[in-house]
Amino acid sequence: MEAVNTFIKRITVWLPARVALGAMAWLGFINLFMVRINLSVIIVAMAYCHNITGGDVGENQSDTTTTTGALQQGEFDWSETIQGLVLGSFSYGYALTQVVGGRLAEVYGVKWVFGGCILAGGVSNLLSPAAARLHYGALIALRVLQGLFQAVSWPSLYVCLVQWIPPVERPRFIGYVAFGSTLGTAITLPLMGLVVDALGWAAAFYISGTLSVVWCVMWALFMHSTPAQHPRISPEELQYIESAIRTSGTSRMGTPRVPWRRILTSLPVWAIIFCDVGTAWGISFFFSQLPTFMKNILGFSIKENGAISALPFLCRYVGAVVMSSLASWVMAKGHLSILNTRRVFSVIGMIVPAVLIVVLIQVGCDWRATIAIFCIALFFNGAISSAHFVSVTDITPNFAGTVFGLSNTAFSIMAFIAPVVMGSITDGQQTLGQWKKVFWVCVPMNVLTVLFFLIFASGTVQPWNYHPEETTDPAATTMITANNPDEMEENMKEQLTPLHRNTEDK
């Protein structure tokens, strides 16, 4: 074990500890979504579809269906409704343990909570082929169980965020690291398409599961739940991190009891929840239904399907990186307060894609224009990394895991409702006209939920965040004031200086 520690120390001595943490978490989120959404590609090869519209599926044929037999012979005779249930089953369990997972990470630390959730996903993938061949109900049950364990992933990340990452760096951390989940999707879709095409659908599950287990070993060696527990962190970085998180509202008196009534009656909390619900519907289409749309309407093969379907997710990751960096810059320069930054980027991330969906509906079956619009829409959707996705840490550092668990529960409920609704709309009617109905629902969902966020969101720490025995004034402990751009810029410079000096010394 001493040799392992020496090796790890040698390769991390020149790297800030939180950067190494970010790299590991980034790989974790890539893997997390690989084992979560690979089924959306694999199921195209597992099941065959009886109802495919013959001939041109353009505007004139959008309301008629001609059965021409299965487009691709699969191993399982599952209808679109059954496929929707299978695809949505992960979210059935995922919706149940979000809050529990966030609270577990707050109390017991993120190392084993986050690591255990990815291990569970890997084991589930290794067992998936046997479950599917037993009965689709067994696969659904296994996916529900996988969702139960992996629900802790995002809430525990937010606990890690408030314990490890200074507030000025949090938008970038969300954009680069947490949206690694989107990059994971971009990698998974073409990779799974190639694996299925070359080795069969079962091999795709086995490869995904094995990668999860390998990552878990690395995580156990490198990760520590708090900076103070890290044996190789520099004194300068430790002081910088702990000073920054204290001034952002993190309690110094242990983990406070959860003020459930005040959380559940907080309008800023509900603003985050509603915006998450709006995000869930549109993202559910891309996670679960895009490969089916690409096959049945645009006519792509399984190999082409994965590669083309990945492009929008790659654009979303690039968008998250660009937008989160832009958000950090406009706050550092004092151009926008925290609250107004969250508002502006919520509009970019939600309203712009809604407008593009309206444009998409007019495109018809032009696959080039369709893919281009998908890519542009998800690029701008990456802006949510600097909107409600990080707003949780603005209002409650002490309960970031719990509150994000509530928000992600709402997201998950919508995520398992959406594939079933989409499947029922297109069941037996794989036509452009039916898919347009799916797209139309996204528009009001995005617009109404972001309006609620614009009205009720907050950029300051809420009074109920603090330990009952603490006497600290919430307004005084807010790292960046919402109404004083000059003070905001100066505070950011002061916090960034130790980071730069620490890096240069190394």
Side-chain angles (χ1 to χ4, degrees):
M1 192 63 188
E2 183 62 30
V4 173
N5 284 332
T6 302
F7 172 73
I8 295 173
K9 186 173 183 177
R10 285 178 178 174
I11 66 175
T12 59
V13 67
W14 55 272
L15 197 66
R18 67 190 184 284
V19 176
L21 163 69
M24 282 300 303
W26 178 74
L27 288 173
F29 269 87
I30 289 176
N31 188 273
L32 179 76
F33 267 64
M34 177 176 290
V35 299
R36 175 178 174 177
I37 61 93
N38 56 3
L39 183 61
S40 65
V41 173
I42 298 171
I43 200 170
V44 176
M46 294 172 68
Y48 57 88
C49 181
H50 289 288
N51 300 296
I52 304 294
T53 300
D56 184 11
V57 289
E59 187 67 28
N60 293 335
Q61 288 79 31
S62 64
D63 296 322
T64 61
T65 301
T66 304
T67 301
T68 60
L71 181 65
Q72 178 177 335
Q73 186 69 26
E75 187 172 337
F76 306 108
D77 184 6
W78 294 345
S79 69
E80 284 85 351
T81 299
I82 291 176
Q83 292 179 51
L85 289 169
V86 172
L87 288 168
S89 58
F90 175 92
S91 296
Y92 305 161
Y94 193 73
L96 297 178
T97 53
Q98 293 280 338
V99 178
V100 173
R103 192 57 184 160
L104 284 174
E106 288 167 354
V107 175
Y108 297 108
V110 71
K111 178 176 182 176
W112 301 114
V113 175
F114 186 70
C117 87
I118 295 191
L119 179 62
V123 173
S124 174
N125 265 239
L126 293 173
L127 297 175
S128 289
R133 286 167 175 147
L134 180 62
H135 191 271
Y136 70 81
L139 180 58
I140 289 175
L142 184 62
R143 294 280 295 180
V144 170
L145 190 62
Q146 178 183 344
L148 285 170
F149 280 96
Q150 292 201 300
V152 308
S153 56
W154 278 92
S156 63
L157 171 76
Y158 278 76
V159 176
C160 179
L161 190 66
V162 299
Q163 292 179 344
W164 268 94
I165 308 301
V168 294
E169 300 177 16
R170 288 172 186 171
R172 287 196 297 270
F173 187 90
I174 294 293
Y176 282 82
V177 176
F179 272 64
S181 59
T182 300
L183 184 61
T185 304
I187 294 171
T188 298
L189 293 176
L191 177 62
M192 293 300 104
L194 291 171
V195 171
V196 170
D197 186 65
L199 303 174
W201 62 266
F205 282 119
Y206 295 139
I207 291 173
S208 300
T210 301
L211 290 174
S212 293
V213 175
V214 171
W215 180 90
C216 287
V217 174
M218 296 174 60
W219 179 258
L221 293 173
F222 282 89
M223 174 57 187
H224 300 276
S225 291
T226 65
Q229 295 173 356
H230 199 298
R232 293 171 297 277
I233 191 171
S234 69
E236 295 83 4
E237 185 182 10
L238 178 62
Q239 181 182 5
Y240 166 60
I241 293 173
E242 291 189 337
S243 174
I245 64 175
R246 278 198 303 268
T247 58
S248 70
T250 301
S251 175
R252 287 170 286 182
M253 301 182 65
T255 305
R257 294 181 61 182
V258 181
W260 288 111
R261 182 183 63 81
R262 301 187 71 183
I263 288 176
L264 294 175
T265 56
S266 171
L267 284 175
V269 170
W270 283 103
I272 295 169
I273 292 174
F274 272 82
C275 215
D276 233 12
V277 167
T279 301
W281 181 276
I283 293 302
S284 293
F285 165 77
F286 286 96
F287 281 160
S288 64
Q289 298 293 323
L290 182 58
T292 301
F293 176 79
M294 301 284 284
K295 181 189 75 169
N296 293 342
I297 302 302
L298 300 184
F300 286 98
S301 68
I302 183 65
K303 188 174 181 179
E304 298 168 326
N305 199 329
I308 299 298
S309 297
L311 289 177
F313 293 102
L314 181 60
C315 290
R316 189 175 189 241
Y317 183 70
V318 173
V321 169
V322 171
M323 295 296 177
S324 63
S325 299
L326 179 60
S328 295
W329 180 81
V330 297
M331 287 194 297
K333 292 296 183 180
H335 298 311
L336 291 173
S337 66
I338 288 179
L339 178 57
N340 286 333
T341 300
R342 306 297 179 240
R343 286 170 171 165
V344 168
F345 282 84
S346 69
V347 171
I348 296 173
M350 301 285 285
I351 301 299
V352 173
V355 172
L356 289 169
I357 289 172
V358 175
V359 176
L360 172 66
I361 293 171
Q362 310 305 318
V363 167
C365 286
D366 185 336
W367 69 268
R368 293 179 181 84
T370 299
I371 298 303
I373 292 172
F374 282 158
C375 290
I376 297 170
L378 282 193
F379 174 86
F380 283 106
N381 183 251
I384 65 174
S385 63
S386 303
H388 64 281
F389 263 61
V390 73
S391 185
V392 172
T393 65
D394 297 335
I395 65 172
T396 177
N398 286 331
F399 303 109
T402 298
V403 172
F404 190 83
L406 287 170
S407 177
N408 222 29
T409 297
F411 181 100
S412 303
I413 291 172
M414 181 56 66
F416 74 70
I417 291 174
V420 176
V421 173
M422 294 175 188
S424 64
I425 292 174
T426 60
D427 193 3
Q429 301 181 72
Q430 288 292 324
T431 65
L432 183 60
Q434 293 303 109
W435 280 100
K436 284 183 177 181
K437 295 177 183 179
V438 172
F439 298 144
W440 267 120
V441 180
C442 296
V443 178
M445 290 291 294
N446 278 25
V447 173
L448 294 176
T449 55
V450 80
L451 284 176
F452 192 93
F453 181 81
L454 293 176
I455 296 170
F456 295 112
S458 174
T460 58
V461 179
Q462 301 300 293
W464 45 262
N465 169 77
Y466 294 94
H467 196 287
E469 297 180 10
E470 285 180 309
T471 58
T472 306
D473 179 11
T477 60
T478 302
M479 180 206 60
I480 306 169
T481 60
N483 300 313
N484 191 334
D486 294 333
E487 181 181 350
M488 176 174 64
E489 181 174 0
E490 186 62 30
N491 285 339
M492 282 190 168
K493 289 178 179 178
E494 290 177 359
Q495 290 196 21
L496 288 172
T497 299
L499 170 63
H500 296 158
R501 181 166 56 248
N502 185 31
T503 303
E504 291 171 1
D505 292 343
K506 287 180 179 295

